[in-house]
C-alpha cells in the first residue's frame, strides 16, 4: 500500500461515532413518539422507558455536538472563490463535463452540512431540554415543540444524504471515519489545497 495521510484524529473519530449513534437513536425513538409506534416502544420496554432513553441520549448528543466544534467549526466558517465555484458546478455531482475547482480539507457542501448540524443540533437540544424540564411553562412548551419538530425534519433529510455521500457515492470516504487515514494519491486528487499547505505536493 502507498503512503497514507491522516485526515481525522482518534478523538475526532470516536466523537463522530458517539454523535452519529446518539443522533440515530434519537431519530428512531423520536420518530416512534411522533407516530406512536408501539412496536418500537416495546423494544425499550414501553414508552416511559423510551422517553428516559431519549432524554439521556440527548445529553450525550449535546456533549458530542459541542466537542465537534474543536475540529470543524473554524474550517466551516471560511469560504473562498473556489468554494463559490464549487457551488456553481454543484460539486461535479450533476455532470462529469464541468471542471470542479481545487478543494481544501473539506468541500463547501461538507462545511454547510456541518453548520446545519450545529445550528439545528443546538435548536433540537435546547428545545428538547425545554420539553423535558419546563413542563410548567405553556409558552416554552409550545415553542419548544415547534422548534424540535422543525429541526427534526432537517435531520431526517440531511443525515441520510450525509450517509449516502460518505459511503456509496464517494468510495474511500467511509475509511476516513474508521482509521482516520486517506491514501496520499487520493488526498492529492480530492484535497489539493490542503495537501499543498501540508507540503505534500
Ligand atoms: C451512520 C452513518 C454515518 C456514516 C457512515 C458517516 C460517515 C462520515 C464520514 C466518512 C465523514 C468524514 C468525511 C470526510 O472527512 O471527508 C463524516 C463526517 C461527519 N459526520 Fe458522519 N457519518 C454517519 C452518521 C452521521 C450522523 C448521524 C451525524 C449527525 C450528527 C454525522 C455528522 C458528521 C459531521 C458533523 C461530520 C464532519 C463534517 C463533515 O465532514 O461533513 N454523521 N461522517
Amino acid at each position: 500500500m502507498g503512503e497514507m495521510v491522516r485526515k481525522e484524529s482518534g478523538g475526532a473519530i470516536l466523537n463522530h461515532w458517539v454523535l452519529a449513534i446518539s443522533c440515530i437513536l434519537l431519530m428512531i425513538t423520536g420518530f416512534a413518539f411522533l407516530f406512536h409506534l408501539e412496536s418500537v416502544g416495546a423494544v425499550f420496554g414501553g414508552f416511559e422507558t423510551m422517553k428516559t432513553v431519549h432524554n439521556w441520549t440527548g445529553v450525550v448528543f449535546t456533549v458530542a455536538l459541542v466537542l465537534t466544534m474543536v475540529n470543524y467549526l473554524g474550517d466551516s466558517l471560511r469560504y473562498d472563490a473556489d468554494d463559490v465555484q464549487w457551488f456553481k458546478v454543484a460539486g461535479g455531482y450533476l455532470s462529469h463535463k464541468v471542471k470542479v475547482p481545487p478543494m481544501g480539507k473539506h468541500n463547501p457542501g461538507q462545511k454547510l452540512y456541518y453548520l446545519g448540524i450545529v445550528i439545528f443540533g443546538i435548536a433540537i437540544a435546547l428545545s428538547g431540554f425545554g420539553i423535558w424540564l419546563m413542563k410548567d411553562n405553556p409558552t416554552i412548551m409550545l415553542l419548544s415543540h415547534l422548534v424540535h419538530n422543525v429541526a427534526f425534519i432537517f435531520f431526517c433529510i440531511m443525515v441520510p444524504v450525509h450517509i449516502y455521500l460518505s459511503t456509496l457515492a464517494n468510495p474511500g470516504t467511509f475509511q476516513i471515519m474508521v482509521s482516520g487515514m486517506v491514501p496520499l494519491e487520493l488526498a492529492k486528487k480530492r484535497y489539493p489545497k490542503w495537501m499543498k499547505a501540508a507540503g505534500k505536493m
Side-chain angles (χ1 to χ4, degrees), residues 36-145:
H36 213 81
L37 304 177
E38 299 280 358
S39 51
V40 179
V43 174
F44 293 87
F47 275 77
E48 268 317 301
T49 327
M50 189 165 82
K51 196 164 279 175
T52 310
V53 170
H54 187 84
N55 290 349
W56 286 100
T57 307
V59 176
V60 174
F61 172 81
T62 308
V63 173
L65 183 70
V66 170
L67 291 177
T68 60
M69 294 184 193
V70 177
N71 291 302
Y72 305 111
L73 193 60
D75 201 19
S76 295
L77 294 172
R78 277 188 290 271
Y79 296 83
D80 61 15
D82 287 329
D83 288 333
V84 175
Q85 186 57 24
W86 188 93
F87 279 116
K88 287 189 182 157
V89 298
Y93 281 108
L94 302 180
S95 163
H96 292 300
K97 291 188 188 126
V98 293
K99 191 176 176 312
V100 182
M103 288 288 108
K105 195 170 184 182
H106 297 106
N107 68 45
Q110 288 173 304
K111 296 186 214 179
L112 281 189
Y113 168 73
Y114 176 70
L115 290 180
I117 292 289
V118 171
I119 292 164
F120 286 97
I122 291 172
I124 211 161
L126 284 180
S127 55
F129 290 122
I131 297 167
W132 184 9
L133 304 170
M134 308 204 66
K135 288 196 175 52
D136 298 336
N137 188 322
T139 315
I140 291 194
M141 282 300 271
L142 187 68
L143 266 178
S144 296
H145 272 108

Side-chain angles (χ1 to χ4, degrees), residues 164-197:
Y164 170 67
L165 288 176
S166 44
T167 53
L168 294 178
N170 292 295
T173 306
F174 181 70
Q175 192 53 35
I176 299 167
M177 275 306 179
V178 178
S179 66
M181 309 299 281
V182 197
L184 178 61
E185 286 315 308
L186 183 63
K188 282 180 181 171
K189 253 190 251 159
R190 281 197 188 161
Y191 331 105
K193 289 202 288 191
W194 174 44
M195 285 295 96
K196 266 186 201 140

